[in-house]
């Protein structure tokens, strides 16, 4: 699937939240950046370094039969949580 | 330090460009300090102070070699020791890594040249070349032009007989081994510099005539005279902000002193020409080519810090005779207490003004220094207590901790990882995918979760993207 994030190649961390019916491995790509992910079952989120240039991130599941719904996606530089 | 922590002490590390600069000597010192105690200010500043002490001893040695062991050499030595010119290089460590060893190299190369001119022993040629190499390894651009210029001007003006033009020819002819050795040292270093220097973020261009005149007037007309003579009376951060009367007073003192020495001391114009030549060629031109478009940069005193050596040397040359001179004085100073009294007042005012200026300069940074030190120590403790498997993600350092940080050079993975024990240090540099990335709190005292709950939408009944509904 394609996740709509734009990156100019500067250092960034990508992350997305999802709901998955079963655990599965997945590969995220943003330009030349690539991350091998291990997605667990249920409602969860994952973050990873993604320094690449592009207007979208692609997510490929190792097990295409898994039902997975991405519910949010971010790309940027992490900062400490300032909200209580 | 971050770069030193990530690399071994090899050729690649030592000759890596730092923008348009090449400073393997400073990199070597940074590597050793980082390996012993990364970000430990006592060790870092102690190493720089030790280098400054060595440069001060080298200044004393140069004055003693040139003028002989006489009490009056304490005047130029005191000028060098107490002028605020050298201060910015000691407070800003990265600047000091270039400036302090350069001053040591200048003094030692000049002393070796004086020895060679007097003894013709080849070992002094080797010493000149060796210190020139050390100067190039400390601050390539300034040393490359500044040291040969000073060697030639001092040799032709004071170590040769007759008019200066004849002295130039004599100096060229009689010191061929020295000039040859300098060329042998410079050629490969220049090639290395040309190949490695990175001017991508520092375009090299000569600004227009108006900008050049303004920049030169500020750097040589305001920054140098006020700082050299114990000022400025006010600072604006790291920049000088002298009042109009501070500038006028500095110029009045310089003009009166120059006039007095012109009357009393022979060859004194050569000393002032030497100082002016160094200021223009080694201090103004390189900065003008890189920063000439930014007028405020001309108020940065570290660009003329190395001129403290030349200023003190030339001050010595305006009052003391060099052994080679047959008639060093045009006239005797007035008898009586006038000259000693004026001298004592000038020295006293210079020392008090220098102390006040230095105190004001360093005092400005006290709060920022305390914040940075507190942050680094807190981070050191936090990382020491963190599990080795913690996923500490890169983050920009707080803006009040790292003032000159740009892009990835400002990230904790680069700057703070040296504070972490292994294997956490490696994890900080190469973070793994994780559900809960950790970042340092604003005060560095704890590791906290990355994002607020509002940063990413919660699942809401299948409203997101699903592979079942999206073409893959």
């Amino acid at each position: 699937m394609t996740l709509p994030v734009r990156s100019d190649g500067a250092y960034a961390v990508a992350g997305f939240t999802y709901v998955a019916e079963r655990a599965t491995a997945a590969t995220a790509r943003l330009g030349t950046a690539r991350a091998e992910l291990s997605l667990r079952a249920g409602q969860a989120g994952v973050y990873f370094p993604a320094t690449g240039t592009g207007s979208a991130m692609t997510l490929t599941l190792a097990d295409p039969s898994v039902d997975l719904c991405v519910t949010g996606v971010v790309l940027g530089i992490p900062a400490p949580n300032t909200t209580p | 330090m971050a770069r030193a922590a990530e690399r071994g002490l090899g050729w690649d590390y030592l000759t890596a460009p730092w923008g348009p600069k090449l400073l393997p000597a400073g990199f070597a010192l940074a590597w050793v300090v980082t390996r012993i105690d990364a970000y430990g200010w006592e060790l870092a500043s102690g190493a720089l102070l030790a280098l400054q002490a060595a440069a001060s001893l080298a200044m004393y040695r140069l004055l003693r070699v040139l003028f002989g062991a006489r009490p009056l050499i304490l005047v130029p030595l005191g000028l060098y020791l107490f002028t605020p010119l050298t201060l910015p290089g000691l407070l800003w460590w990265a600047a000091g890594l270039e400036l302090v060893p350069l001053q040591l190299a200048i003094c030692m190369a000049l002393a070796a040249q004086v020895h060679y001119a007097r003894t013709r022993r080849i070992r002094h040629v080797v010493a000149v070349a060796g210190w020139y190499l050390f100067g190039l390894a400390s601050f390539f651009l300034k040393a490359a032009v500044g040291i040969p210029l000073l060697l030639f001007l001092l040799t032709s003006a004071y170590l040769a007989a007759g008019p200066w033009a004849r002295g130039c020819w004599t100096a060229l002819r009689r010191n061929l081994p020295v000039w040859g050795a300098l060329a042998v040292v410079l050629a490969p270093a220049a090639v290395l510099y040309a190949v490695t220097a990175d001017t991508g973020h520092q375009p090299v261009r000569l600004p227009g005539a108006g900008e050049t005149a303004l920049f030169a007037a500020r750097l040589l007309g305001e920054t140098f005279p006020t700082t050299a003579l114990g000022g400025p009376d006010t600072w604006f951060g790291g920049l000088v902000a002298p009042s109009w009367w501070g500038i006028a007073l500095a110029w009045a003192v310089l003009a009166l002193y120059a006039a007095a020495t012109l009357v009393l001391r022979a060859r004194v114009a050569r000393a002032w020409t030497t100082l002016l030549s160094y200021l223009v060629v080694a201090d103004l031109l390189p900065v003008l080519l890189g920063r000439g478009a930014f007028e405020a940069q001309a108020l940065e005193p570290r660009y003329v810090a190395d001129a403290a050596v030349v200023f003190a040397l030339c001050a010595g040359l305006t009052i003391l005779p060099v052994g080679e001179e047959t008639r060093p004085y045009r006239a005797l100073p007035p008898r009586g207490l006038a000259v000693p009294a004026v001298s004592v007042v000038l020295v006293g005012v210079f020392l008090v003004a220098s102390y006040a200026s230095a105190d004001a300069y360093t005092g400005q940074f006290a709060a920022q220094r305390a914040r940075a030190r507190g942050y680094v120590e807190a981070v050191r403790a936090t990382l020491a207590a963190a599990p080795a498997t913690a996923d500490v993600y890169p983050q920009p350092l707080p803006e009040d901790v790292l003032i000159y940080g740009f892009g990835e050079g400002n990230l904790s993975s680069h700057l703070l990882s040296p504070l972490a024990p292994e294997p956490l240090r490696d994890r900080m540099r190469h973070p793994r995918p994780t559900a809960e990335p950790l970042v340092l709190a604003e005060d560095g005292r704890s590791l906290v979760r990355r994002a607020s709950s509002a940063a990413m939408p919660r699942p809401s009944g299948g409203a997101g993207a699903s592979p079942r509904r999206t073409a893959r």
Side-chain angles (χ1 to χ4, degrees):
Chain A
M1 80 184 74
T2 303
L3 305 178
V5 290
R6 182 178 298 278
S7 180
D8 60 3
Y11 181 86
V13 169
F16 61 89
T17 49
Y18 60 91
V19 181
E21 68 167 329
R22 294 197 313 273
T24 178
T27 303
R29 290 188 182 84
L30 175 62
T32 55
R34 173 190 167 111
E36 299 297 336
L37 310 173
S38 179
L39 308 181
R40 59 188 169 90
Q43 178 182 317
V46 66
Y47 297 86
F48 47 93
T51 305
T53 305
S55 57
M57 182 165 64
T58 60
L59 183 65
T60 308
L61 303 185
D63 180 357
S65 67
V66 173
D67 195 1
L68 181 138
C69 178
V70 173
T71 53
V73 60
V74 291
L75 186 97
I77 299 287
N81 187 351
T82 53
T83 55
Chain B
M1 280 196 171
R3 184 186 282 197
E6 290 167 358
R7 303 189 190 184
L9 185 64
W11 180 255
D12 287 346
Y13 163 70
L14 292 173
T15 59
W18 188 256
K21 298 175 175 186
L22 190 62
L23 58 154
F27 275 12
L29 181 64
W31 193 91
V32 172
V33 167
T34 304
R35 283 298 182 282
I36 298 172
D37 184 15
Y39 296 118
W41 178 241
E42 283 75 16
L43 177 66
S45 60
L48 211 52
L49 280 176
L51 263 179
Q52 182 63 58
S56 302
L57 278 173
M59 184 79 227
Y60 169 73
R61 181 169 173 271
L62 169 62
L63 295 170
R64 196 174 160 125
V65 166
L66 193 58
F67 303 115
R70 58 179 79 208
L72 269 181
I73 63 172
L74 292 177
V75 174
L77 181 64
L79 199 58
Y80 175 68
L81 292 180
F82 296 108
T83 176
L85 271 178
T86 52
L87 203 61
L90 291 174
L91 199 75
W92 188 351
W93 200 66
L97 287 181
E98 295 178 298
L99 287 166
V100 182
L102 171 67
Q103 293 167 49
L104 171 64
I106 292 173
C107 291
M108 295 301 287
L110 287 173
Q113 169 64 12
V114 176
H115 277 310
Y116 175 70
R118 288 173 179 168
T119 65
R120 321 305 296 177
R121 287 191 184 147
I122 207 69
R123 69 186 170 100
H124 296 305
V125 176
V126 176
V128 173
W131 286 109
Y132 185 45
L133 181 63
F134 182 69
L136 293 173
S138 304
F139 201 146
F140 178 85
L141 276 178
K142 289 202 183 219
V145 294
I147 291 180
L149 179 75
L150 287 175
L151 290 171
F152 179 73
L153 290 177
L154 180 68
T155 309
S156 60
Y158 291 97
L159 303 177
W164 200 0
R166 200 169 77 202
C168 288
W169 174 242
T170 309
L172 271 180
R173 197 166 39 85
R174 284 180 56 83
N175 295 278
L176 284 177
V178 172
W179 314 135
L182 294 185
V184 166
V185 170
L186 178 62
V191 170
L192 177 68
Y193 178 79
V195 170
T196 58
D198 176 13
T199 56
H201 298 287
Q202 182 74 78
V204 177
R205 71 174 188 91
L206 192 64
E211 284 175 304
T212 298
L214 197 59
F215 196 91
R218 282 238 189 279
L219 188 70
L220 304 185
E222 294 181 24
T223 306
F224 177 74
T226 55
T227 315
L229 292 177
D233 49 308
T234 44
W235 292 89
F236 181 71
L239 305 179
V240 302
S243 60
W244 68 267
W245 63 263
I247 299 168
L249 184 64
W251 273 109
V253 170
L254 270 181
L256 285 173
Y257 181 75
T261 54
L262 277 167
V263 171
L264 299 172
R265 173 81 165 90
R267 297 190 178 189
V268 79
R270 303 182 187 186
W272 295 112
T273 306
T274 299
L275 175 60
L276 189 62
S277 304
Y278 185 85
L279 282 170
V280 170
V281 174
D283 286 350
L284 172 63
L285 277 180
V287 183
L288 193 64
L289 289 171
R291 307 267 166 91
F294 310 103
E295 183 199 333
Q297 294 278 308
L299 299 171
E300 173 70 81
R302 75 192 153 90
Y303 293 145
V304 286
D306 47 306
V309 167
V310 190
F311 185 52
L313 171 67
C314 291
L317 289 167
T318 58
I319 52 173
L320 295 166
V322 178
E324 281 74 1
E325 292 179 274
T326 48
R327 292 186 61 189
Y329 295 105
R330 294 183 205 275
L332 289 174
R335 291 184 180 180
L337 290 174
V339 171
V342 169
S343 304
V344 166
V345 168
L346 282 178
V347 168
V349 170
F350 167 74
L351 291 176
V352 171
S354 294
Y355 177 81
S357 179
D359 192 48
Y361 178 73
T362 54
Q364 298 179 111
F365 303 106
Q368 198 273 329
R369 203 163 50 234
R371 161 73 169 132
R373 177 179 283 226
Y375 181 81
V376 166
E377 290 313 316
V379 168
R380 196 193 298 271
T382 301
L383 295 177
T389 54
D391 292 304
V392 183
Y393 262 48
Q395 68 189 102
L397 264 63
E399 288 178 1
D400 58 348
V401 170
L402 184 71
I403 297 174
Y404 293 97
F406 302 100
E408 290 186 35
N410 188 16
L411 292 177
S412 58
S413 50
H414 181 60
L415 292 169
L416 298 181
S417 57
L419 296 169
E422 287 287 11
L424 182 58
R425 182 183 303 177
D426 191 55
R427 283 217 165 182
M428 287 178 71
R429 290 171 181 160
H430 308 288
R432 304 167 309 168
T434 179
E436 291 195 350
L438 298 170
V439 289
L440 288 150
E442 195 70 7
D443 59 4
R445 294 183 188 282
S446 58
L447 287 167
V448 295
R449 292 195 47 186
R450 181 207 68 89
S452 71
S453 55
M456 203 184 282
R458 287 181 180 281
S460 54
S466 163
R468 287 283 165 85
R469 287 179 272 124
T470 309
R472 275 177 289 181

